[in-house]
């Protein structure tokens, strides 16, 4: 049973080492620079976005990118020290923001100090500098329980569990109940890429999983003009929602920026509308709310373009960035005004390659979302969709309207409607 606060959670995700310019860097910063504190300067921005929590990438001691941990109990010296973490938590708490940590417990860096029996003898996905842990070793179980509990007791609210797909489910099933005994309100999301999410979540004891299926279906259907793929993805999403609320995203630190992934810039709005009107726990990757570009490449350093350094706020935006920021603010705000969307399921009302109209609902609450990626307008008579009348809450070309019985969605446009009796 997930912690009660999660039903209102909207994350702003940050990759700290890149955000503060600590990695990659020709001259790595020292602990006396206290760069971790720079994140707190952006917390008011997260509030303005409408986020309720900060999802951090790795902040523990490592040699390079943070996923090659050398000491889980130590803040990365390039970011600062324990006092900087305490400062971050205090600044977050003062604003009502939660903190999610990124835990790498599948593998560690080659400089990690432990008994030989802690390692499986293999590497992680062929990376020679990443040593896989032996998850059948009870000492590794105890260590993971203690690390996770330590930082929860220091003020964190939950953990993203990196590469959870590579870790035996019985390992998590041993670890997580023991951590929950100490911190019952903590939330745990496993990084899963593909497979039977619901079965893994149940067997491992996660509260949530990263919804990569829906991420792919969203941009792929928009690029290919194939809303059948999105509808299939949302049917799968409904199945997951029956047992847990997935972590939804259209961008994160591991993938090409959504503004670069989409072939048509105007479809960024469609992707965001989808994410923020379906069930789950939404996460916005820092910079996406400004329309940042960045392509991930499969090479050494291939993540750098999607993990840039941020200057001090406020961000200086061009006209396009202002528009994308305003859209994020409005749609995150709409999500907050309709908190039932956390548990909402969807059903199609109209579907073809380039038009998708769906109902998103939970109990007696419902919205209707109309997406048009065609070159021609999409006229809709609501009665034909099983809706008698509706209010227009948001759209790409029309301001909110009073009660209507028909609507025309312009080419490459969208509408969010609220049915009324």
């Amino acid at each position: 049973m997930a912690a009660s606060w999660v039903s209102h959670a909207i994350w702003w995700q940050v990759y700290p080492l890149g955000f503060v310019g600590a990695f990659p860097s020709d001259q790595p910063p020292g602990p006396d620079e206290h760069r971790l504190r720079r994140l707190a300067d952006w917390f008011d921005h997260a509030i303005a976005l409408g986020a309720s929590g900060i999802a951090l990438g790795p902040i523990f001691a490592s040699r390079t990118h943070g996923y090659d941990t050398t000491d889980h109990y130590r803040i990365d010296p390039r970011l600062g020290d324990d006092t900087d973490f305490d400062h971050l938590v205090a600044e977050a708490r003062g604003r009502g923001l939660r903190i999610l940590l990124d835990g790498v417990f599948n593998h560690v860096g080659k400089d990690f100090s432990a008994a030989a029996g802690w390692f499986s003898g293999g590497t992680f996905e062929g990376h020679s500098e990443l040593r896989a842990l032996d998850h059948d070793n009870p000492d590794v179980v105890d260590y993971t329980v203690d690390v996770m509990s330590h930082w929860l007791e220091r003020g964190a609210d939950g953990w993203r569990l990196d590469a959870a797909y590579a870790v035996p489910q019985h390992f998590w099933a041993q670890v997580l109940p023991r951590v929950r005994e100490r911190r019952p309100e903590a939330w745990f999301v496993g990084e899963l890429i593909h497979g039977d999410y619901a079965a893994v979540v149940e067997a491992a004891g996660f509260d949530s999983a990263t919804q990569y299926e829906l991420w792919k279906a969203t941009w792929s259907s928009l690029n290919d003009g194939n809303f059948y793929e999105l509808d299939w993805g949302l049917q799968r999403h409904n199945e997951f929602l029956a047992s847990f609320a997935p972590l939804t995203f259209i961008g994160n630190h591991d993938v090409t920026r959504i503004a670069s992934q989409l072939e048509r810039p105007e479809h960024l709005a469609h992707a965001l509308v989808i994410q923020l009107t379906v069930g789950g726990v939404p996460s916005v990757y820092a910079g996406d709310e400004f329309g940042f570009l960045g392509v991930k490449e499969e090479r050494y350093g291939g993540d750098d373009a999607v993990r840039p350094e941020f200057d001090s706020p406020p961000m200086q935006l061009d006209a396009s960035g202002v528009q994308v920021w305003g859209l994020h603010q409005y749609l995150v705000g709409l999500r907050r005004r309709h908190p039932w969307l956390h548990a909402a399921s969807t059903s199609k009302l109209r579907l073809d390659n380039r038009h998708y109209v769906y109902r998103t609902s939970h109990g007696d609450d419902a919205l209707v979302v109309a997406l048009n990626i065609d070159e021609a307008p999409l006229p809709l008579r609501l009665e034909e969709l099983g809706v008698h009348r509706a209010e227009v809450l948001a759209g790409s070309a029309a301001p909110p309207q009073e009660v209507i019985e028909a609507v025309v969605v312009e080419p490459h446009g969208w509408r969010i409607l609220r049915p009324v009796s």
Side-chain angles (χ1 to χ4, degrees):
M1 186 70 179
S4 57
W5 57 265
V6 177
S7 62
H8 296 275
I10 299 173
W11 298 106
W12 187 57
Q13 190 213 344
V14 177
Y15 174 74
L17 287 167
F19 194 95
V20 304
F23 179 84
S25 174
D26 294 334
Q27 198 68 33
D32 57 331
E33 295 185 38
H34 304 282
R35 292 201 186 191
L36 189 62
R37 294 179 181 240
R38 290 190 195 176
L39 297 182
D41 296 341
W42 282 87
F43 285 178
D44 287 340
H45 164 77
I47 295 291
L49 172 65
S52 62
I54 311 296
L56 298 174
I59 60 170
F60 307 118
S62 71
R63 174 182 280 199
T64 60
H65 46 56
Y67 290 98
D68 51 347
T69 314
T70 56
D71 187 347
H72 289 91
Y73 290 104
R74 184 185 181 200
I75 298 297
D76 195 305
R78 294 169 295 173
L79 296 175
D81 55 30
D82 269 15
T83 63
D84 300 313
F85 179 78
D86 292 341
H87 173 78
L88 208 67
V89 169
E91 292 293 312
R93 286 287 174 270
R95 293 167 173 83
L97 292 168
R98 302 274 179 175
I99 295 285
L100 186 72
L101 297 178
D102 198 345
V104 189
F105 299 111
N106 172 66
H107 53 271
V108 292
K110 61 183 180 181
D111 297 333
F112 183 87
S113 177
W118 280 40
F119 303 109
S120 67
T123 62
F124 175 56
E125 297 182 349
H127 299 287
S128 59
E129 70 278 10
L130 301 178
R131 305 179 68 186
L133 290 168
D134 179 1
H135 297 97
D136 291 322
N137 185 326
D139 291 338
V140 174
V141 173
D142 291 344
Y143 175 81
T144 305
V145 169
D146 195 66
V147 169
M148 293 175 73
S149 300
H150 171 80
W151 292 105
L152 291 170
E153 286 159 8
R154 291 284 301 274
D157 295 283
W159 288 88
R160 171 195 176 270
L161 302 171
D162 182 71
Y165 55 86
V167 178
Q169 291 155 27
H170 66 79
F171 173 79
W172 301 118
Q174 293 177 72
V175 168
L176 297 182
R178 290 173 57 186
V179 179
R180 283 193 176 97
E181 282 179 17
R182 300 195 211 178
R183 308 300 292 185
E185 279 291 291
W187 185 68
F188 305 97
V189 52
E191 184 195 12
L192 305 183
I193 309 296
H194 44 64
D196 189 341
Y197 292 172
V200 174
V201 166
E202 181 177 7
F206 302 147
D207 294 305
S208 183
T210 52
Q211 227 307 24
Y212 270 95
E213 281 190 15
L214 185 57
W215 163 77
K216 195 273 180 180
T218 298
W219 62 259
S220 179
S221 63
L222 292 169
N223 281 350
D224 296 345
N226 178 18
F227 273 134
Y228 289 95
E229 181 182 358
L230 177 60
D231 183 64
W232 174 251
L234 285 174
Q235 289 182 50
R236 289 267 296 169
H237 193 62
N238 286 340
E239 294 173 12
F240 303 146
L241 284 160
S243 56
F244 71 96
L247 181 76
T248 64
F249 59 94
I250 54 175
N252 66 30
H253 66 295
D254 278 331
V255 301
T256 290
R257 293 268 183 189
I258 187 65
S260 294
Q261 187 78 66
L262 293 170
E263 294 170 3
R264 297 189 64 135
E266 61 267 47
H267 292 167
L268 174 60
H270 297 67
L272 189 63
V273 166
I274 293 162
Q275 183 197 8
L276 292 176
T277 59
V278 304
V281 181
S283 177
V284 177
Y285 182 47
D288 282 357
E289 72 272 32
F290 300 131
F292 275 20
L293 299 172
V295 176
K296 176 187 170 74
E297 299 177 2
E298 294 302 326
R299 59 174 178 81
Y300 183 79
D303 294 313
D304 297 352
V306 298
R307 301 174 178 181
E309 183 175 2
F310 279 59
D311 293 327
S312 298
M315 181 71 67
Q316 300 302 310
L317 302 175
D318 59 15
S320 173
V322 170
Q323 185 177 20
V324 173
W325 167 241
L327 179 68
H328 274 77
Q329 279 189 303
Y330 186 84
L331 290 173
V332 172
L334 182 143
R335 178 95 180 185
R336 291 176 69 97
R337 291 189 297 276
H338 298 83
W340 55 267
L341 283 166
H342 170 80
S345 58
T346 60
S347 57
K348 66 176 178 285
L349 302 179
R350 175 169 174 173
L351 172 63
D352 57 53
N353 280 331
R354 306 184 73 83
H355 306 120
Y356 191 38
V357 183
Y358 61 89
R359 177 186 176 92
T360 181
S361 62
H362 179 66
D364 294 332
D365 295 304
L367 298 175
V368 172
V369 178
L371 306 174
N372 179 17
I373 57 170
D374 199 34
E375 300 297 336
L378 171 62
L380 295 172
R381 287 198 56 78
L382 300 186
E383 198 168 50
E384 295 172 2
L385 303 175
V387 178
H388 298 297
R389 301 183 303 162
E391 296 174 282
V392 179
L393 296 185
S396 48
Q401 294 170 259
E402 297 298 327
V403 176
I404 60 168
E405 296 180 356
V407 65
V408 177
V409 182
E410 65 284 348
H412 301 282
W414 55 275
R415 294 289 185 279
I416 300 176
L417 313 173
R418 178 165 53 203
V420 297
S421 54

